[in-house]
Amino acid sequence: MQQLIEEVNKTIASISFKVINTDEELVIKSKFNLLNKSTFGLVLIFCGGLFMSYISITSFLENQKSNELSDTISLVIFGLLSLVLLVVGIIGIYSTSTDYIKVTSSHIEFKNSNFKTTRIKLNLNFRITKRSFISNVSNTRGFGSSFRVIELYIVENNNKKCILNFQMNEKGSDKADKLGEQIKTIISQKKNILLRDKIINH
């Protein structure tokens, strides 16, 4: 299993995740990586909001003596738009940089692209499944990119929750699918090992 984890860590660095395995737990956590396209996009949104905020403030200071209602409305709209971009950028960067999965002898805990942490009691009933698909992103000029999206789910009875998702360029689809299967295997193996050790120790 450790050899598999080392192999995964070499590959997974490009999508800003790292696998840490100890006797007590398994942790798969995200990390800030500016070279990651999703993270870079969020940073650009934040910088755009920051720049627009600067323009809004300087324009307001330069035109504060103006009584033109249209100027005031334009500045308010521009300021609100810059605020939205700032908030979206900050929330996006924080959320994607703090995602994680933790498997211990008592539970599996995860946070995936939101602020909510979910904890599920470790048991033999749940399983990890993988879903993959192609996502196409295009702009108004007809140009775009295609990505292979990988999603891992924890399935227990009729409940299904996404615990991890990442994407790679479509040309790396085979690599992405293999990586998804490897992470799925690591989580499943760790779950079985921890449950086995718990039974033995009790």
Side-chain angles (χ1 to χ4, degrees):
M1 180 177 172
Q2 194 59 39
Q3 183 177 353
L4 178 59
I5 291 176
E6 291 175 1
E7 181 182 345
V8 166
N9 273 331
K10 290 179 182 178
T11 307
I12 210 171
S14 62
I15 54 174
S16 309
F17 278 91
K18 184 176 183 180
V19 181
I20 303 171
N21 181 49
T22 66
D23 291 339
E24 293 79 23
E25 64 182 22
L26 171 75
V27 179
I28 302 173
K29 64 178 183 178
S30 63
K31 57 182 181 179
F32 181 83
N33 181 3
L34 189 58
L35 298 179
N36 180 272
K37 287 186 177 181
S38 297
T39 304
F40 186 70
L42 290 169
V43 171
L44 284 180
I45 290 174
F46 173 77
C47 290
L50 203 61
F51 177 72
M52 289 176 67
S53 296
Y54 171 77
I55 296 297
S56 298
I57 294 172
T58 54
S59 297
F60 174 76
L61 293 176
E62 290 175 0
N63 298 292
Q64 59 181 336
K65 294 182 180 180
S66 174
N67 293 320
E68 291 291 333
L69 181 61
S70 59
D71 291 342
T72 303
I73 293 175
S74 297
L75 284 174
V76 170
I77 293 175
F78 200 72
L80 289 174
L81 181 58
S82 65
L83 182 62
V84 169
L85 290 178
L86 281 173
V87 171
V88 169
I90 292 172
I91 291 177
I93 292 170
Y94 173 80
S95 179
T96 57
S97 299
T98 56
D99 289 345
Y100 71 94
I101 303 170
K102 181 188 290 186
V103 185
T104 70
S105 60
S106 61
H107 62 267
I108 178 169
E109 181 179 294
F110 59 91
K111 187 180 83 67
N112 183 41
S113 301
N114 54 46
F115 292 98
K116 182 181 178 181
T117 297
T118 302
R119 179 179 290 191
I120 298 175
K121 184 177 180 180
L122 199 67
N123 61 80
L124 295 172
N125 295 327
F126 75 72
R127 67 185 190 281
I128 306 298
T129 62
K130 177 176 75 72
R131 174 177 178 251
S132 61
F133 59 93
I134 296 294
S135 175
N136 297 305
V137 180
S138 59
N139 56 33
T140 54
R141 295 183 179 181
F143 299 101
S145 303
S146 295
F147 300 93
R148 187 69 166 184
V149 179
I150 306 297
E151 297 177 340
L152 294 184
Y153 292 86
I154 181 170
V155 181
E156 184 181 22
N157 300 323
N158 294 321
N159 296 319
K160 184 178 181 181
K161 296 181 180 180
C162 185
I163 61 174
L164 175 70
N165 62 280
F166 63 88
Q167 64 183 32
M168 300 178 72
N169 287 330
E170 186 180 5
K171 63 181 181 180
S173 291
D174 291 341
K175 184 178 180 180
D177 281 320
K178 179 182 178 182
L179 186 57
E181 286 293 338
Q182 288 175 322
I183 298 174
K184 171 187 167 183
T185 298
I186 289 171
I187 296 173
S188 298
Q189 287 185 355
K190 188 64 176 182
K191 178 201 75 169
N192 293 335
I193 290 171
L194 290 172
L195 285 174
R196 182 200 63 195
D197 291 346
K198 187 175 181 178
I199 293 173
I200 292 174
N201 293 331
H202 286 76

